[in-house]
Amino acid sequence: MCRYAAYLGPELLLSELVYNPTNSLVHQATEAMQSLTRINADGFGVGWYAPEISPEPAVFKDTSPVWNNYNLGSIASKIHSPCIFGHIRKANSYDPVTRENCHPFHRGRLLWMHNGDIPGRARLTRKVAEMADDVLLAKIRGNTDSELAFTLFLTHLPNPLERDPATDEMAAAMQHTVELLSTWHRESDGESPLETNFCVTDGESLVAVRYAESDQPKPSLYWYEGSDEHGRRRALIASEPLTLGKEWHEVPESSLVVVDTDLSVEIRPLRS
Amino acid sequence: MCRYAAYLGPELLLSELVYNPTNSLVHQATEAMQSLTRINADGFGVGWYAPEISPEPAVFKDTSPVWNNYNLGSIASKIHSPCIFGHIRKANSYDPVTRENCHPFHRGRLLWMHNGDIPGRARLTRKVAEMADDVLLAKIRGNTDSELAFTLFLTHLPNPLERDPATDEMAAAMQHTVELLSTWHRESDGESPLETNFCVTDGESLVAVRYAESDQPKPSLYWYEGSDEHGRRRALIASEPLTLGKEWHEVPESSLVVVDTDLSVEIRPLRS
Amino acid sequence: MCRYAAYLGPELLLSELVYNPTNSLVHQATEAMQSLTRINADGFGVGWYAPEISPEPAVFKDTSPVWNNYNLGSIASKIHSPCIFGHIRKANSYDPVTRENCHPFHRGRLLWMHNGDIPGRARLTRKVAEMADDVLLAKIRGNTDSELAFTLFLTHLPNPLERDPATDEMAAAMQHTVELLSTWHRESDGESPLETNFCVTDGESLVAVRYAESDQPKPSLYWYEGSDEHGRRRALIASEPLTLGKEWHEVPESSLVVVDTDLSVEIRPLRS
Amino acid sequence: MCRYAAYLGPELLLSELVYNPTNSLVHQATEAMQSLTRINADGFGVGWYAPEISPEPAVFKDTSPVWNNYNLGSIASKIHSPCIFGHIRKANSYDPVTRENCHPFHRGRLLWMHNGDIPGRARLTRKVAEMADDVLLAKIRGNTDSELAFTLFLTHLPNPLERDPATDEMAAAMQHTVELLSTWHRESDGESPLETNFCVTDGESLVAVRYAESDQPKPSLYWYEGSDEHGRRRALIASEPLTLGKEWHEVPESSLVVVDTDLSVEIRPLRS
């Protein structure tokens, strides 16, 4: 069970997501409060955009626990960005702890991260091998369900590696991805629960989903509605509230969270 | 273009393969003599068997250059084994440098390593997804052509993860694997050359192949016929002779090298 | 606050210290029961002896949490030894997480590990620089108080790098080392507590110490008196009992534990 | 023998120092043209300043060869800075390959890097232990001659960790540091050559030195005088010219290179 946090708004230091909040990602690495796994220390990743330099994001991922990575400690307080993805990983027993299996995953202008578990690995591998074109298939660098699901998502975008998708195109592809995973999961008996809290961005808008087929407590997801000290709106989505304030709202189960380029936040129920 | 060396015989220190010979793997990491890439420093791996303890091999792989890995430096002179695989990697531009992409690869009692390149990654991924059963497919931990080819090889063994294959079963599966790769490669035009110097062992016998469809010089492979200081026969197969002696013979192109449990070495032409 | 375990006796698999016991080092990495820090995941190390091959130990250390190191997972069940040191590290805020700062430390035939904290780093550095000869001083590879204390210990052994010390020579040097650290600590006011649970071995005998100047609970240390399934005596010293049995005894504060080559265990009060 | 490059001027992408030039640091990692060691692959480091965010630099260092570090590959083209230090390391046989031994080294607002070798490690350790105050001594995180020399340099600055030194203060401290190392080296016979190509910056000015006591060819050092495509002056200092142009000039032996805040470059002979 991993934890993640996503930010969209005025330029923010990476350290404001990773280190500084009361319940920062570093805190959640050893003391996650709403996770089945209190410790999430099998690697981490941070992705961010520098729009004045490139439409593609920078990604820094490593297999160390986030709390003792000196490189992150040094650069996180020297880099600010209008769009930041942060993730800490709890590896399952079969997906190795490698940089390439850490989140976020990167293709073209997009970043993707996941909290959850998609049962039926062999089936998912075959489905993606059938549906993805050669380019997308050859770009898979790790072996996680998360990266396979990202590839599945990309196959539902027009020219995924060539042009920036519209926010609604990302929302539609996310809806399709969850529908497919849900259908395949329902067709098979006795599998472990499907848990798919995905989050994707192009650096200007953001789409997340909270969906699980499980009797257990569903993986948690929250969204933040508030402003910075200058009154400028900002949007966050996180597995757990990073701070204590009232600005954090639980994302209803089976919902999409769509943050548009104007930073408006919309909660849409998933079609089922 | 990677380099590898395999040993079968009386117990030998790992350091006798990795560090001590004139043209050891450490030497080949910066000064490979018969490789298109003089430098092979994108990770390394050593696998060995301790038959008195377990039929499964131990595997130590890391992404560092082999020459500056202190753990290997410390343990290689304290561990001896009757069967050792050593590999140094030169990564291509698309397969990441992770431990899981280093050789040798391990399944059950078997170790596998590869020197070469198999074009058509997306096709290979799809073919393996079709042919491999759920268990073998879900065991893939990296994203290299080498590990996909190993999985293909395993699908041609009876109960690959349950029982120790006979030497001839390994030879037959190797023949089938090369035939399939060759067929798929011939069906497509304009691909880069197919280069498949594989090597597999169960700890007691060993099968290697030298095969390439290329007008360029084929990846080199040698076998060693000789004895230790006590006159006990030993067998080696290596991308390059590790020493200067006359005991090293070039493996003819399109040939299998079969080292049986009695350490007899047989060169068999590949059926075409 | 780190945790460690040391074994002396009939050949034992590394995995019997690291993975298999109820309260193994892997368990203590996330659930230490008698440590101020429940999580000890800033690197690990295992050292062992293969007396039939070399009088010097093999050392495998890495900065990853012990629970997700695949190399250790693979080799620990394929290597057995009559003398094993295992350590999991909790780094303080100023000593970096590097392989060279992981325990055990190695010089010649000796292994050393430490659980605790020695205040007054600059003073310790200067004292060691004054007292150690050029060879010992130049061998320091990290920057921890633990390695400096090891160097201090070595300066109290005759020809530390040339000959195997007698058990009593190790015990005397340990006594001297603690006396010096205690004296220096007493001379300065307002320092944090001195905590020095050291453990040293030459592969055949073993000396440990439990000593702290603190009002807080002292770092825990236990010794084990028992036999294997064949009735052969074996000795263990560990920060916490690895198993639930009655064979574990708390080491009294301010005591030396001396395990001689015949595996007899003697508890000696420290001279003060 | 390491290689380094330093930049001061209008904002430049990190990748323009590391990857893009004909003789970039990545190129020098395997094909250094003026180094005794063609291969410099025992770790790397990049330090840079974001003055709008902090007066302290960001530092990203790792033990991998610079050519296969995906994090650097991703962030180097997304970060630009007016002051960049880049270094690739060739480790000697006794200083371990750890992040903390990679260059540049960082204290307060300063970055430091070194190409060369300072014989007499034990002596240097003792001298620094005597001369440095507690704070500077306790900040040493690795065990290289380079970091010890940096500490020596800092002891010759007023309030080194509290205020930004003037350019001339850095130049004077550099002169003193070389004088001390030279004196100590002359007092001892039969040591290997002293080679001290240092480079230090506060993010706004830069001081480098080329000094060696050797009959062998001295470690190379060059400075660049030129402008960017907009005609804005920029200054570089590098072990080897990064490009083919005429703007590169060899630094005379036994000279200081002083680049002031106005980017003027002055070559000063070392007092002897």
Side-chain angles (χ1 to χ4, degrees), chain D residues 64-271:
Chain D
S64 77
V66 65
W67 68 73
N68 68 24
N69 190 281
Y70 300 113
N71 286 322
L72 185 65
S74 178
I75 71 177
S77 58
K78 314 297 188 321
I79 297 171
H80 54 206
S81 169
C83 180
I84 309 170
F85 266 28
H87 187 281
I88 52 175
R89 183 167 180 235
K90 169 69 175 70
N92 55 38
S93 60
Y94 42 92
D95 293 329
V97 176
T98 67
R99 179 194 182 274
E100 302 314 307
N101 278 352
C102 290
H103 309 224
F105 299 94
H106 165 223
R107 298 285 188 281
R109 298 181 170 193
L110 305 184
L111 288 176
W112 173 274
M113 53 189 177
H114 174 214
N115 157 217
D117 182 54
I118 303 170
R121 178 63 50 88
R123 179 187 59 223
L124 181 60
T125 303
R126 288 193 189 94
K127 294 285 192 183
V128 170
E130 293 165 14
M131 298 173 68
D133 65 28
D134 285 9
V135 176
L136 289 178
L137 198 55
K139 282 189 175 297
I140 296 175
R141 292 167 63 90
N143 74 332
T144 61
D145 53 355
S146 308
E147 190 179 14
L148 289 165
F150 184 23
T151 306
L152 197 61
F153 167 87
L154 290 167
T155 62
H156 293 86
L157 285 182
N159 310 323
L161 300 176
E162 282 152 44
R163 73 168 184 76
D164 194 11
T167 309
D168 281 338
E169 291 173 332
M170 291 201 293
M174 187 68 88
Q175 167 81 45
H176 284 130
T177 303
V178 174
E179 281 171 1
L180 278 171
L181 294 174
S182 172
T183 305
W184 298 334
H185 186 250
R186 290 214 192 88
E187 290 168 0
S188 64
D189 299 336
E191 280 184 348
S192 56
L194 170 69
E195 299 172 332
T196 62
N197 284 11
F198 300 124
C199 192
V200 68
T201 187
D202 62 356
E204 297 178 344
S205 62
L206 188 151
V207 175
V209 64
R210 184 185 184 198
Y211 183 77
E213 294 175 5
S214 168
D215 305 332
Q216 307 170 10
K218 312 285 196 295
S220 60
L221 192 65
Y222 291 79
W223 63 283
Y224 168 99
E225 187 170 43
S227 311
D228 68 9
E229 65 279 20
H230 305 297
R232 296 172 298 182
R233 179 187 283 184
R234 53 188 189 178
L236 287 96
I237 294 173
S239 302
E240 304 185 2
L242 302 182
T243 55
L244 300 175
K246 295 208 194 74
E247 305 86 349
W248 291 95
H249 315 285
E250 184 171 15
V251 174
E253 296 180 7
S254 303
S255 306
L256 286 172
V257 187
V258 180
V259 184
D260 215 333
T261 53
D262 63 357
L263 299 180
S264 62
V265 179
E266 187 186 352
I267 308 295
R268 304 179 187 172
L270 278 170
R271 289 192 313 276

Side-chain angles (χ1 to χ4, degrees), chain A residues 3-5 25 86-87 113-115 197-199 209 221 237-239:
Chain A
R3 304 276 83 184
Y4 68 62
L25 289 175
H87 188 281
M113 52 189 178
H114 174 213
N115 157 217
N197 284 10
F198 300 125
C199 192
V209 64
L221 193 64
I237 293 173
S239 303

Side-chain angles (χ1 to χ4, degrees), chain B residues 29-31 38-39 41-43 63-65 67-68 70 91-93 95-98, chain D residues 29-31 38-39 41-43 63-65 67-68 70 91-93 95-98:
Chain B
T30 58
E31 300 292 348
R38 190 188 70 247
I39 298 172
D42 298 319
T63 57
S64 77
W67 68 73
N68 68 24
Y70 301 115
N92 54 39
S93 61
D95 293 329
V97 176
T98 66
Chain D
T30 58
E31 299 292 348
R38 192 187 68 248
I39 299 173
D42 298 319
T63 58
S64 77
W67 68 73
N68 68 24
Y70 300 113
N92 55 38
S93 60
D95 293 329
V97 176
T98 67

